[in-house]
Amino acid sequence: IFAAGLLPSAQAGTISGGSALLSPTGHAQLESWLGQGPVNLTNIFTLQPGLDGDDFHAAADGVGRTFSLMLVGNGTDQWLVGGYNPQSWDSLNHWHETPNDVDRVAFVFNMTSGSVFRQIPTSYILPSQGEKQTFNSALHGPAFGEGGDLWVTGDLLHAYSWLFSYGDPAMQGLSLIDGAIPEPLPSM
């Protein structure tokens, strides 16, 4: 998990604390999707054996805006996926809701395929579809969107994706990870 801090536009962004997952090219891609110029990132959480949702939230709650980045696989293939949360995470077991388009600036992404999925705007036939930005609970890792657009289980060992609040509504029900129709939502 990376906390994001804006830099003056003359500087290139850096990653304090390093990252085994985020290359300079990937960092540039995140900056491009964010659209606010160069961004310094600080690695505030790296998964280690035995850590869980409580540990994630101890590191990320109240920090401000963050990028979550994870390598997920199915035993054969791997994908680098994640999300941008413009609000601070918390552990209060509730949704961060964004009823207005001006606040719908979160996104989820598949860096492996170069795909970004932004919150669905209110102009869609169901204006509230993109409203649920993140779910905040120590029983989960990063959790984006009402459909489980990108959710990480509390043990931080499994990720799930079922597009609903993010992306093109025509892709609803597909996984941002591999583009397939996912298995039923696992118990979290």
Side-chain angles (χ1 to χ4, degrees):
I1 301 295
F2 298 95
L6 288 177
L7 290 175
S9 61
Q11 295 179 322
T14 62
I15 303 173
S16 297
S19 172
L21 296 178
L22 191 59
S23 68
T25 301
H27 187 177
Q29 182 63 71
L30 292 178
E31 289 175 335
S32 174
W33 286 333
L34 188 58
Q36 297 178 2
V39 177
N40 271 346
L41 300 175
T42 301
N43 187 342
I44 61 170
F45 181 81
T46 299
L47 182 60
Q48 302 294 325
L51 298 181
D52 62 16
D54 286 324
D55 299 298
F56 162 74
H57 282 282
D61 286 4
V63 171
R65 62 197 194 131
T66 56
F67 284 102
S68 299
L69 189 65
M70 59 212 78
L71 186 64
V72 299
N74 62 7
T76 307
D77 299 305
Q78 291 185 323
W79 299 268
L80 188 58
V81 299
Y84 168 69
N85 180 3
Q87 302 186 57
S88 286
W89 293 102
D90 65 57
S91 300
L92 302 176
N93 204 35
H94 71 111
W95 290 99
H96 281 168
E97 295 185 358
T98 53
N100 302 311
D101 283 338
V102 68
D103 299 318
R104 293 186 183 185
V105 296
F107 56 87
V108 292
F109 56 86
N110 180 324
M111 195 163 283
T112 302
S113 69
S115 304
V116 64
F117 305 87
R118 299 185 185 280
Q119 283 181 270
I120 294 173
T122 58
S123 59
Y124 182 61
I125 192 168
L126 180 59
S128 64
Q129 187 166 343
E131 186 170 322
K132 298 211 179 343
Q133 193 170 71
T134 59
F135 186 71
N136 296 265
S137 169
L139 299 176
H140 303 282
F144 293 86
E146 185 173 14
D149 294 71
L150 182 60
W151 282 48
V152 177
T153 57
D155 62 8
L156 305 181
L157 297 178
H158 301 93
Y160 179 82
S161 174
W162 194 88
L163 292 172
F164 180 79
S165 299
Y166 290 79
D168 180 348
M171 295 180 66
Q172 180 178 332
L174 298 180
S175 169
L176 75 83
I177 297 169
D178 62 2
I181 297 172
E183 297 295 320
L185 182 65
S187 62
M188 303 278 186

